[in-house]
């Protein structure tokens, strides 16, 4: 039979413990947390409870897994403390002045512009290290043709691509 090589699954929740349960059904190898905001405040009761629930995703990562976290959101950045030993953290940022925390992998969008149809173009820069190996900064131009939030989504995609090269190409 066929095996699934890649699966992207959004883990939604209406309370603490829901994401933890979903990670037993679909165990993540890469977990992405974009933000901790107030959009689901009614269901959770507090922003702290939202952060607690979203942290369940990174806690479920296996050895060799990756947490992809928003460097620009302090609540998301705090989730790095909940990443299990053996898993790693990759950061994304829309702040050109951001530095990789503790020498970790950081991917940024630089030289951002949008045309009259709100199609964004920018250069992606990856800097820092992962797996204890030195990583030379890489850069490449890209564009994204999605409206609102396209910059963040494209940067996250680039981080996942960087992480995938490590996880799936046989590299350490």
């Amino acid at each position: 039979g066929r095996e699934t090589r890649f699966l992207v699954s959004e883990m939604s929740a209406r309370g603490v413990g829901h994401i933890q349960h979903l990670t037993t059904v679909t165990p993540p190898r890469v977990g992405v947390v974009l933000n901790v905001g107030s959009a689901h405040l009614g269901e959770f009761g507090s922003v702290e409870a939202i952060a607690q629930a979203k942290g369940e995703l990174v806690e479920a990562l296996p050895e060799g897994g990756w947490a992809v976290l928003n460097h620009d959101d302090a609540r998301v950045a705090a989730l790095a403390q909940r990443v299990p030993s053996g898993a790693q953290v990759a950061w994304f940022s829309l702040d050109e002045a951001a530095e990789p925390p503790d020498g970790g992998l950081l991917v940024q969008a630089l030289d951002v512009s949008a045309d009259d149809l709100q199609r964004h173009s920018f250069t992606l820069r990856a800097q820092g290290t992962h797996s204890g190996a030195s990583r030379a900064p890489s850069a490449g131009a890209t564009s994204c043709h999605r409206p609102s939030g396209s910059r963040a989504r494209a940067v996250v995609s680039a981080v996942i691509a960087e992480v995938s090269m490590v996880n799936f190409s046989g590299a350490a």
Side-chain angles (χ1 to χ4, degrees):
R2 289 186 160 182
E3 288 189 30
T4 301
R5 186 163 176 209
F6 300 100
L7 171 68
V8 177
S9 175
E10 180 176 358
M11 305 234 171
S12 60
R14 294 185 148 268
V16 173
H18 293 181
I19 291 175
Q20 186 280 327
H21 172 73
L22 290 171
T23 64
T24 66
V25 176
T26 308
R29 288 175 40 196
V30 176
V32 180
V33 182
L34 300 176
N35 63 25
V36 173
S38 58
H40 303 287
L41 202 52
E43 290 91 356
F44 285 90
S46 71
V47 175
E48 292 76 19
I50 294 169
Q52 177 65 32
K54 289 190 176 197
E56 294 167 358
L57 177 62
V58 300
E59 289 175 342
L61 293 169
E63 185 167 334
W66 284 85
V68 179
L69 302 176
N70 183 348
H71 179 276
D72 304 337
D73 183 318
R75 290 184 183 101
V76 174
L79 297 180
Q81 298 171 12
R82 295 171 60 184
V83 174
S85 91
Q88 299 180 68
V89 178
W91 302 92
F92 68 93
S93 177
L94 302 180
D95 178 359
E96 293 184 13
E99 292 291 326
D102 300 322
L105 175 64
L106 174 70
V107 177
Q108 297 158 288
L110 309 173
D111 307 319
V112 178
S113 63
D115 66 11
D116 58 339
L117 297 175
Q118 292 302 302
R119 293 178 297 195
H120 289 79
S121 298
F122 45 87
T123 301
L124 292 173
R125 175 176 67 188
Q127 58 180 331
T129 61
H130 50 73
S131 291
S134 180
R135 177 92 175 150
S138 61
T142 189
S143 63
C144 185
H145 304 293
R146 296 180 196 129
S148 82
S150 61
R151 242 174 91 188
R153 281 194 294 275
V155 173
V156 168
S157 297
V159 174
I160 292 170
E162 284 283 319
V163 167
S164 296
M165 286 190 295
V166 173
N167 275 356
F168 306 116
S169 69

